[in-house]
Amino acid sequence: DNRAMNSLEYLIANTHTLSDASIMDALAALTSSPNLGNHEEEYDMEVNSDDEMKIDLSALINPSVFNALQLPIGTGRFPNPSPPRPNSGTNTPIRKTPGSRPDRGKFTILDGTEVAGPEEVLNVDFNSDILQKIFCDPKLGIQFLARYGLIPNTRVCRVQDCPKDQLMSLIKHANGFVWRCRSCRKRREKRIITKISVYEGTFLFYSRMPLNKFFIFMLIWCENPGLSITEYNRLMGENRLVEETIYNTIGFMRDIIQNWCDTIIASNVPIGGPHRIVEVVETLSTEQLSNKTRNRRTRHYTTRTVFVSLADDKIKSVDFPLHNVHDLERALLECVQPGSIVVMRDSYMERFGQQEEISNALFNHYKVKSICDVWPDFNEQERSKQFIKTEMNQVPNVNQEPYAYEYFFRRCFSDKCFNHLLRVIRLLYQK
């Protein structure tokens, strides 16, 4: 190495004074250096190493989060540019054969076989980090929602002049992904909306929250009943929300649960039965629930009395107010089977008189007891369910909140409450 470097330095310093023979001798010494090829090999290895580093970085920058979560989403066939047409070298005219033109549009978010059944969402273990990764990517977000039936996987144009069952195409828009009708767009008629949001007609249509914050808060609310606004924001961390947004979102989820109780779960026949315990709970409820058109910012409450059968978690309610023991008897005969044990809180029982007076008035049909009377008979599972009310009562102004349906929902789904709420939303919006 030293001999080669000396020859190179000597050649550069004396280029103008050396004879042709001396220059040729110096060049020969350089070319005969045994380590020159090794330097070239080391240089090649460095370039290859850089290339390998670029590949590794690209893998880190574009991780397949959805596959890592084991949520199959298919091939993700979003609109791709057409491949370059091979050049045959001749200007052969293209013949248009009817029906031979490939369909360039994409009419589904996922393949039809990839939409999960309603119960499959119960098998997913969610946490805040997973939801953050899913909804930070708009494409991944709508694939997740379509996968579990929370938004439609395909959309049919409902314009009267369009052909029947005309599918709309999925396109990328400035505000996210939208459905667009190609037939309406070709006609170029005024006053026809050719594009609609992928969230049209779903529970997300009125939401102005980023999806990652919305679902993370829903998860935290499901796992932590009865927290204050400050405590919820502490758990939200950097995704914290303003007080009004938290209040509206909790009200929205309670409306979903109440709608589920009224339309899907509510029993058509009296609940309870001989020696079965039925709990009586007075609550507020939201009037005029509607999945499709109601703006969740506007709510009007009315008073209801809810009856919950503790052994089999069945629910039934009446809309008229209960002012005295006669109203109570009327509601019980409508909702509860004779022979049942009717229980309620001491504070609520005082409205109808002393416990002995109420028992005598309802003696022919029911036994009336307080929660304290039957507490020793509850097993550990039932005591845990009763404790849900204690947690929920820690919220300020709890008497002004429609909490009875939330209490019933948490009784039914103490495990994976968030997963069950997603399943309930899907069932309601497919009705």
Side-chain angles (χ1 to χ4, degrees):
D1 288 343
N2 293 332
R3 187 179 59 184
M5 290 300 299
N6 293 335
S7 300
L8 180 60
E9 293 174 358
Y10 178 75
L11 178 63
I12 294 174
N14 301 281
T15 304
H16 302 287
T17 60
L18 292 176
S19 63
D20 293 341
S22 300
I23 293 176
M24 294 301 295
D25 292 339
L27 290 176
L30 284 175
T31 54
S32 62
S33 175
N35 296 322
L36 184 60
N38 294 337
H39 288 300
E40 293 177 353
E41 292 177 0
E42 291 174 1
Y43 178 77
D44 291 339
M45 290 177 64
E46 291 174 0
V47 173
N48 293 336
S49 177
D50 289 342
D51 292 340
E52 291 173 0
M53 183 67 71
K54 293 177 182 178
I55 294 174
D56 293 339
L57 288 176
S58 65
L60 292 174
I61 294 171
N62 300 304
S64 181
V65 177
F66 214 71
N67 292 333
L69 298 178
Q70 297 182 351
L71 305 180
I73 59 170
T75 57
R77 296 181 297 103
F78 278 75
N80 294 319
S82 302
R85 185 176 299 174
N87 186 8
S88 60
T90 58
N91 296 326
T92 306
I94 300 175
R95 298 180 181 180
K96 295 183 179 181
T97 306
S100 64
R101 181 178 179 178
D103 194 356
R104 293 178 298 178
K106 176 175 173 55
F107 303 110
T108 60
I109 299 175
L110 302 171
D111 292 334
T113 56
E114 295 173 349
V115 177
E119 306 298 323
E120 290 188 43
V121 71
L122 304 180
N123 301 324
V124 183
D125 294 323
F126 290 105
N127 58 52
S128 298
D129 292 337
I130 290 177
L131 293 174
Q132 179 73 19
K133 292 176 182 178
I134 289 174
F135 291 106
C136 279
D137 183 352
K139 183 189 298 185
L140 195 61
I142 66 169
Q143 286 178 333
F144 169 82
L145 295 173
R147 161 69 176 164
Y148 292 107
L150 300 175
I151 62 174
N153 186 41
T154 186
R155 180 79 69 167
V156 175
C157 183
R158 297 181 180 179
V159 176
Q160 185 176 1
D161 295 336
C162 265
K164 184 179 179 180
D165 298 330
Q166 172 67 44
L167 292 177
M168 305 184 79
S169 301
L170 183 70
I171 63 171
K172 183 68 179 296
H173 192 260
N175 296 327
F177 289 96
V178 298
W179 297 106
R180 182 176 67 185
C181 179
R182 297 170 63 184
S183 298
C184 293
R185 185 167 177 259
K186 288 179 179 179
R187 290 199 300 271
R188 300 183 181 277
E189 298 180 10
K190 295 182 179 180
R191 298 181 181 179
I192 293 182
I193 300 176
T194 61
K195 294 189 289 290
I196 60 174
S197 168
V198 293
Y199 308 116
E200 175 83 21
T202 73
F203 71 107
L204 294 170
F205 185 66
Y206 292 110
S207 176
R208 297 296 180 266
M209 292 172 58
L211 292 183
N212 60 324
K213 291 187 176 183
F214 182 86
F215 283 95
I216 289 174
F217 178 76
M218 185 187 297
L219 173 67
I220 293 175
W221 179 81
C222 287
E223 295 179 346
N224 302 274
L227 297 186
S228 65
I229 301 295
T230 303
E231 291 171 321
Y232 278 128
N233 267 330
R234 179 177 58 82
L235 294 177
M236 290 286 290
E238 62 181 10
N239 294 316
R240 60 186 294 117
L241 302 169
V242 299
E243 181 176 349
E244 182 183 3
T245 301
I246 291 179
Y247 181 80
N248 286 332
T249 307
I250 292 176
F252 162 74
M253 289 184 286
R254 284 177 173 162
D255 290 349
I256 288 289
I257 293 171
Q258 177 186 328
N259 203 353
W260 171 72
C261 291
D262 290 343
T263 61
I264 298 179
I265 295 299
S267 176
N268 296 323
V269 297
I271 62 177
H275 309 294
R276 290 196 170 189
I277 299 177
V278 176
E279 184 177 3
V280 185
V281 183
E282 186 181 56
T283 184
L284 296 179
S285 61
T286 307
E287 291 183 319
Q288 299 178 351
L289 288 175
S290 173
N291 288 336
K292 305 294 184 181
T293 59
R294 183 186 60 80
N295 189 328
R296 68 167 180 266
R297 292 179 178 271
T298 305
R299 286 184 183 81
H300 301 283
Y301 294 132
T302 185
T303 302
R304 280 187 180 182
T305 304
V306 176
F307 303 89
V308 179
S309 177
L310 303 186
D312 50 7
D313 284 327
K314 291 185 178 180
I315 189 171
K316 201 168 175 62
S317 63
V318 293
D319 292 331
F320 54 85
L322 307 185
H323 300 296
N324 50 52
V325 69
H326 299 292
D327 294 334
L328 176 61
E329 182 179 15
R330 173 190 167 194
L332 287 171
L333 291 174
E334 181 178 330
C335 298
V336 181
Q337 295 184 31
S340 302
I341 301 173
V342 178
V343 300
M344 63 189 80
R345 289 184 172 181
D346 294 334
S347 57
Y348 183 60
M349 187 182 295
E350 292 174 357
R351 175 185 301 184
F352 309 107
Q354 297 296 323
Q355 182 174 346
E356 184 177 355
E357 296 174 355
I358 302 172
S359 298
N360 292 334
L362 303 177
F363 176 75
N364 294 331
H365 303 289
Y366 308 102
K367 292 181 179 181
V368 179
K369 296 183 179 183
S370 68
I371 294 290
C372 295
D373 295 334
V374 297
W375 184 265
D377 300 328
F378 287 157
N379 56 27
E380 289 299 324
Q381 182 179 7
E382 180 57 38
R383 291 182 182 183
S384 298
K385 292 181 178 181
Q386 290 292 322
F387 186 68
I388 295 173
K389 290 184 295 184
T390 304
E391 294 180 312
M392 295 174 60
N393 284 334
Q394 297 175 3
V395 179
N397 303 321
V398 66
N399 293 330
Q400 302 175 15
E401 298 291 335
Y403 77 97
Y405 292 104
E406 179 189 343
Y407 160 65
F408 174 75
F409 185 81
R410 293 183 184 277
R411 280 184 59 92
C412 296
F413 309 120
S414 57
D415 184 40
K416 290 193 173 182
C417 182
F418 174 74
N419 302 57
H420 284 280
L421 184 56
L422 295 181
R423 181 182 66 87
V424 165
I425 291 173
R426 174 174 180 173
L427 294 176
L428 285 174
Y429 281 84
Q430 286 183 344
K431 290 174 64 68

